[in-house]
Structures are given as C-alpha cells and as structure tokens.
Amino acid sequence: MTRSADGRVPGAPSEAARPLLLQGQEYLFRSPPKCLDFQEQVHRLGMVDEGDGNPQPCVLVLARAADMEMNELSIALAERGIRMARIDADRCVDLPLSVYTDQPLVELDRWLLRPLLVWRRHFELSAVPVEPGTLAGAYAVDQWASVANWLSSRSDWAHVNPSRFSTHLDRLTQLSDASSFGLRVPRTAVTTRPGRTRPGGGSCIVKTAGRHLLEPRPGVQHGLFPRPLETSRASDAPEPAPVIVQEYVPSETELRVFVVGEQCIAYQVDKLDPAQLWVDPDAVRVTRTTVPTSLSDKLLALARHWRVQVAAFDLLVTAGGDHVFLEINVNCDWRWFEHRADDNSVSTAVHDWVALRFKELLGAGRGR
C-alpha cells in the first residue's frame, strides 16, 4: 500500500472529512490473547487436586486475556480456596466447552463446574479472533453472541452487574436517571450536526454515544475520546452517526468514585484535557480522596437502581464545590488508578466482595 508524502493513503478521506471523533486520534492499544490467569495455568498443568468428579462450585468470568483486573482476582480467589474459571473472547475459538441447559453445569476443558457467580467484563464480540467479513467469521461471532448473552443472564446463577440491566445502561439513560436522583448533569444533545448544536449556547464537548474503544480488528483497539467542539466549526457537515454534544462545565478537578457493594472509594483526577487519561497518562495526577455523604448516598442509590455491584462514577467538581455527573462505567478498570495513587483499596474491596458473595451463595445451597 503506497502512501503520499504526508503519510495518507491515496483515496482515503482527508482529516477534515473523517468523523469528528476519529480526527486526530492517536490512541492505539494492542491486546494480546496470551493467558495470564493463575488458576487456569495451574489447572492445565495438573498442579491441583482433580477432585472426586462432582461439579466444583466456581466463579465464572467472561472477559478477555488482557483483563488484568480479572487476572488479579484469580489469584485473590485462589488464596481464599475459591475456584475461578473464565471464557475469554479473544481465546474462545475451538474452546472445549459444554453448557448444560437442564442443570446449571458447565464443562470447561476437562473440568465439570457449577457456576455460582458469573461476571461478564470486556467480553467484546469484536475481539473474537476470526477473519472479518467472512461467512465463517460471521457464523462464529453470531453463535458466541447468543451463548455469551445467555450465560450472562441465565437465572440458575447469580451475576455481577447483570447484563439484562447493564447492557441497556447507555449514557443518555444514565444522564436522565442521574438527574432524577438529584445529581447535576450537563446540558446535552444528540445530533448528527454538531456544528449547529450547542447546548447552553457556549463552549461544548463532543463525546461518543457508544463505546470509548473501537476494535475493528481483533486485538487492536482505537480510542474515541471526548474533545472540545471548536468554536470555528460552524459548518453543517453531517456526521455519519449521532454523537453527544454537551455543554462545557468549568471544573477544578474530577472524581472517579468506585462503588463496590455498599462502599464508595474515590480518587481525585487532575488533568488538563478530557482525553489525557488515555493519550498522556503520565501527566495525570491521581490521589485518594473522600466524598461527602450526601454525594455517596446518591451514587449508592443509583447503583442499586441500576442493579450494579461494581462500577465507577465519573464526576466533575466545580469551583463552587458542586458535583456534576458525567457517566458510570460498568466495565470499570481500577488497577491504573490504584497504581497512580499508590493505593489498593478497590482491589481489596472487589476481592472481598466477590469472595463473600460466593460464600453466601454456597451457604444458601446454590453449590449443590
């Protein structure tokens, strides 16, 4: 493939002609499908007791290989004597798997398992390693979509952030619900004409209405991050799909508040640009902080309303001390925030919560 002197492929759309949120995006993350899960490796190496042949109660995770939060959870549960098994989207092709419909059992490789708690995180169908645009690829993705959705909502076992609720928790629903619970939200519009739409009449931010990361090829992720809407952009050039345009709210700092069960664990995030968290993470300052009871009560109430148990709220803090709700991230990653703040409070809370929930289910007879 030949490129021009400026690096563009001949015939490719110019930067100005590209969708707004794809302009100037430099973030690219490659997600290798290498297994780093402790429990999976020791079981495959035969380093554990084979058991008596009865189904083993477990925590079942639907994720991807690079989900380091789940890799860490595997170790933490092993230390507590709790079996964890996983199905990764980027390693699911040719996976030895049988799921029984008449009883809540899963045969994974040579292990017969009885899931008590199922957690779907980052199990993105775009990560399934098949050839895009082929009949065989479409077939595999469609089958996995149906089975993963069923596993994520089956009533035989309990769930973390049940998909029947969280799947439909789009950003626009979040904003209306947050407002109804007494949180301030930015004025917002959804439009394919961002050049002519300015909620509040002043400076605005453009955001994706969908995911922050696109994965057009398995294992290669591109970022779609919030960006200022240039005041000079007065044209009526349409976007190929609707985007979110939100009033710009001046703020002193940002908060990321992790909800784990009934706990709120907060970090103050200081950055100069909405996308800095991804494109220049070393310049972002993260410190552990606390939140007022009045705020934590609203966030916990929203989490209960949405029926999520582990999630992260993003909020702005204005000069006057007001808290402005931006979004909730159900597939939240916490290890990066902990690393920047030199703190492990979220990991500890998550590991303890999952272990406690597992033991509650086991004690209630769900393990038989």
Side-chain angles (χ1 to χ4, degrees), residues 333-351:
D333 296 326
W334 54 85
R335 294 176 73 251
W336 183 86
F337 293 90
E338 290 184 328
H339 173 71
R340 297 293 296 176
D342 192 23
D343 177 73
N344 64 353
S345 300
V346 183
S347 291
T348 299
V350 171
H351 300 165

Side-chain angles (χ1 to χ4, degrees), residues 180-232:
S180 71
F181 274 72
L183 288 167
R184 178 182 166 188
V185 300
R187 296 184 64 180
T188 303
V190 182
T191 180
T192 58
R193 299 291 198 276
R196 60 155 66 171
T197 307
R198 295 188 180 277
S203 300
C204 291
I205 301 289
V206 181
K207 300 180 177 180
T208 172
R211 303 178 187 277
H212 284 303
L213 295 174
L214 292 182
E215 192 167 357
R217 290 174 292 151
V220 182
Q221 297 177 325
H222 299 259
L224 295 180
F225 306 129
R227 59 177 294 168
L229 181 61
E230 299 174 6
T231 55
S232 60

Side-chain angles (χ1 to χ4, degrees), residues 41-87:
Q41 294 192 34
V42 298
H43 278 81
R44 285 189 173 179
L45 291 173
M47 299 172 64
V48 295
D49 186 359
E50 292 282 347
D52 58 6
N54 290 319
Q56 184 176 10
C58 75
V59 174
L60 177 64
V61 171
L62 281 72
R64 62 187 304 154
D67 189 338
M68 298 305 296
E69 276 75 9
M70 293 299 96
N71 291 336
E72 191 177 62
L73 178 63
S74 177
I75 296 172
L77 293 182
E79 292 172 344
R80 293 164 167 82
I82 298 174
R83 177 77 160 95
M84 180 178 130
R86 67 193 292 161
I87 301 171

Side-chain angles (χ1 to χ4, degrees), residues 13-47:
S14 65
E15 184 73 0
R18 299 176 73 197
L20 187 57
L21 289 175
L22 291 179
Q23 295 178 21
Q25 297 288 358
E26 302 295 336
Y27 181 89
L28 179 68
F29 177 74
R30 297 189 182 277
S31 179
K34 180 180 179 181
C35 174
L36 299 175
D37 187 281
F38 170 77
Q39 290 204 38
E40 181 173 325
Q41 294 192 34
V42 298
H43 278 81
R44 285 189 173 179
L45 291 173
M47 299 172 64

Side-chain angles (χ1 to χ4, degrees), residues 352-365:
D352 289 345
W353 185 90
V354 172
L356 178 61
R357 184 69 179 124
F358 178 87
K359 291 177 180 178
E360 289 174 348
L361 295 167
L362 192 63

Side-chain angles (χ1 to χ4, degrees), residues 37-350:
D37 187 281
F38 170 77
Q39 290 204 38
E40 181 173 325
Q41 294 192 34
V42 298
H43 278 81
R44 285 189 173 179
L45 291 173
M47 299 172 64
V48 295
D49 186 359
E50 292 282 347
D52 58 6
N54 290 319
Q56 184 176 10
C58 75
V59 174
L60 177 64
V61 171
L62 281 72
R64 62 187 304 154
D67 189 338
M68 298 305 296
E69 276 75 9
M70 293 299 96
N71 291 336
E72 191 177 62
L73 178 63
S74 177
I75 296 172
L77 293 182
E79 292 172 344
R80 293 164 167 82
I82 298 174
R83 177 77 160 95
M84 180 178 130
R86 67 193 292 161
I87 301 171
D88 287 334
D90 48 356
R91 300 189 303 124
C92 65
V93 174
D94 300 323
L95 179 71
L97 171 71
S98 296
V99 186
Y100 297 90
T101 59
D102 59 343
Q103 49 188 329
L105 300 178
V106 173
E107 190 174 344
L108 188 60
D109 203 349
R110 66 180 188 275
W111 304 96
L112 185 61
L113 304 171
R114 164 67 163 100
L116 300 188
L117 188 62
V118 176
W119 194 350
R120 180 172 180 168
R121 267 179 52 93
H122 300 308
F123 190 93
E124 304 292 349
L125 296 171
S126 55
V128 177
V130 295
E131 187 67 28
T134 64
L135 179 59
Y139 167 83
V141 169
D142 188 61
Q143 301 303 312
W144 272 110
S146 297
V147 172
N149 290 339
W150 174 59
L151 289 172
S152 303
S153 59
R154 188 174 171 179
S155 60
D156 298 73
W157 39 62
H159 298 268
V160 183
N161 300 339
S163 62
R164 63 182 177 274
F165 305 117
S166 58
T167 299
H168 306 291
L169 194 54
D170 58 83
R171 288 189 179 85
L172 301 166
T173 300
Q174 293 176 27
L175 290 168
S176 59
D177 285 355
S179 179
S180 71
F181 274 72
L183 288 167
R184 178 182 166 188
V185 300
R187 296 184 64 180
T188 303
V190 182
T191 180
T192 58
R193 299 291 198 276
R196 60 155 66 171
T197 307
R198 295 188 180 277
S203 300
C204 291
I205 301 289
V206 181
K207 300 180 177 180
T208 172
R211 303 178 187 277
H212 284 303
L213 295 174
L214 292 182
E215 192 167 357
R217 290 174 292 151
V220 182
Q221 297 177 325
H222 299 259
L224 295 180
F225 306 129
R227 59 177 294 168
L229 181 61
E230 299 174 6
T231 55
S232 60
R233 184 183 172 90
S235 70
D236 196 31
E239 288 287 301
V243 294
I244 291 175
V245 179
Q246 220 164 48
E247 69 168 324
Y248 172 75
V249 178
S251 62
E252 293 286 299
T253 187
E254 295 187 19
L255 289 180
R256 169 158 282 216
V257 183
F258 291 93
V259 167
V260 183
E262 290 295 314
Q263 294 187 63
C264 281
I265 302 169
Y267 297 94
Q268 179 174 315
V269 181
D270 294 302
K271 57 186 182 180
L272 299 176
D273 180 84
Q276 197 171 30
L277 193 67
W278 298 277
V279 299
D280 189 15
D282 290 340
V284 179
R285 185 169 176 261
V286 180
T287 52
R288 179 71 190 274
T289 188
T290 58
V291 296
T293 302
S294 58
L295 175 62
S296 62
D297 286 348
K298 292 175 183 177
L299 300 184
L300 289 171
L302 267 174
R304 294 186 207 106
H305 174 70
W306 290 327
R307 303 189 189 185
V308 297
Q309 296 81 36
V310 181
F313 288 86
D314 291 325
L315 305 106
L316 299 175
V317 183
T318 68
D322 288 340
H323 295 94
V324 182
F325 173 89
L326 296 179
E327 66 178 35
I328 184 175
N329 187 333
V330 175
N331 287 330
C332 57
D333 296 326
W334 54 85
R335 294 176 73 251
W336 183 86
F337 293 90
E338 290 184 328
H339 173 71
R340 297 293 296 176
D342 192 23
D343 177 73
N344 64 353
S345 300
V346 183
S347 291
T348 299
V350 171

